[in-house]
Amino acid sequence: MAVHHAHPSRMPRRLAARLHHRTARPTDRAGAGTATVTAITALAAARVALGFVFLWAFLDKAFGLGYATKSAAAWVNGSSPTKGFLSHVSAGPLQSTFHSWAGQAWADWLFMLGLLGLGLALIGGIGLRIAAASGTLLLAMMWAAEWPPARHLANGAASGSSNPVADYHLVYALLLIVLAATSAGDRWGLGRRWAALPVVRDHPWLR
């Protein structure tokens, strides 16, 4: 007896999808699985690396590790982590605002706690949605302080901007959003345990 195969267009979509899955070659499914694992691993590696960027910035500014910040200029030694940067803002529409914030205790604490929180959240793989929102805001403020669109500084000197829009602030912000959207804290992190906490289950924005 001849067996007639129904044309895929005449089948319900779910049935056609099941038949396609059953008839797919094992090598195809294995390849897709490998690609998925590779992508998840790559996102986890990017998450940890970005977390270390923020955590290192906090440690260097707090303790003066001798790289971007000398020991005498460390936060623990009484120096302000925002005064040097914000007081030298010389481009953009928020110059006077940033100058008034420079060295303020509230600005120092918010900036340093932001760096520390982002670093710990990303490395630990927890609170990535909060990290994405707060990190994007912090990076947007830093972008506005450097103001890449400017060709010249307030004194007329060349700004040295290499790109008027897409600099590392934008790239970091986009990566934060991608990491939060893909639950990148589940691999090499505490994302699954964090998501299982009752308070996090009841308030998904904490994820």
Side-chain angles (χ1 to χ4, degrees):
M1 181 176 65
V3 178
H4 299 281
H5 295 281
H7 192 275
S9 61
R10 299 176 183 175
M11 298 181 183
R13 291 185 177 181
R14 291 183 179 179
L15 178 58
R18 290 178 182 177
L19 290 175
H20 174 74
H21 177 74
R22 292 177 180 177
T23 57
R25 293 178 300 176
T27 54
D28 293 339
R29 293 197 294 268
T34 301
T36 301
V37 172
T38 301
I40 293 174
T41 303
L43 286 170
R47 189 199 82 235
V48 174
L50 184 58
F52 187 66
V53 169
F54 288 109
L55 183 61
W56 178 264
F58 167 81
L59 295 173
D60 187 57
K61 294 179 183 299
F63 302 105
L65 302 181
Y67 287 84
T69 307
K70 296 181 180 180
S71 178
W75 193 30
V76 296
N77 291 330
S79 294
S80 168
T82 64
K83 186 175 182 179
F85 175 61
L86 293 181
S87 63
H88 288 87
V89 172
S90 56
L94 300 177
Q95 291 181 63
S96 59
T97 300
F98 288 129
H99 290 168
S100 66
W101 292 356
Q104 297 291 329
W106 64 267
D108 291 342
W109 277 96
L110 284 178
F111 179 58
M112 294 298 283
L113 290 178
L115 292 177
L116 178 61
L118 287 169
L120 294 179
L122 288 167
I123 292 176
I126 61 176
L128 296 185
R129 294 182 181 180
I130 300 175
S134 58
T136 297
L137 177 60
L138 175 62
L139 290 163
M141 297 300 293
M142 295 175 67
W143 182 89
E146 294 189 13
W147 200 249
R151 294 184 179 182
H152 299 89
L153 303 178
N155 61 5
S159 66
S161 176
S162 59
N163 190 305
V165 178
D167 68 348
Y168 73 95
H169 298 101
L170 176 62
V171 175
Y172 284 178
L174 289 174
L175 181 55
L176 282 172
I177 295 171
V178 169
L179 294 174
T182 56
S183 300
D186 292 354
R187 189 173 183 83
W188 298 351
L190 303 174
R192 294 186 186 277
R193 295 183 180 181
W194 176 261
L197 295 176
V199 65
V200 180
R201 289 202 307 266
D202 295 338
H203 303 86
W205 60 271
L206 292 173
R207 293 198 62 181

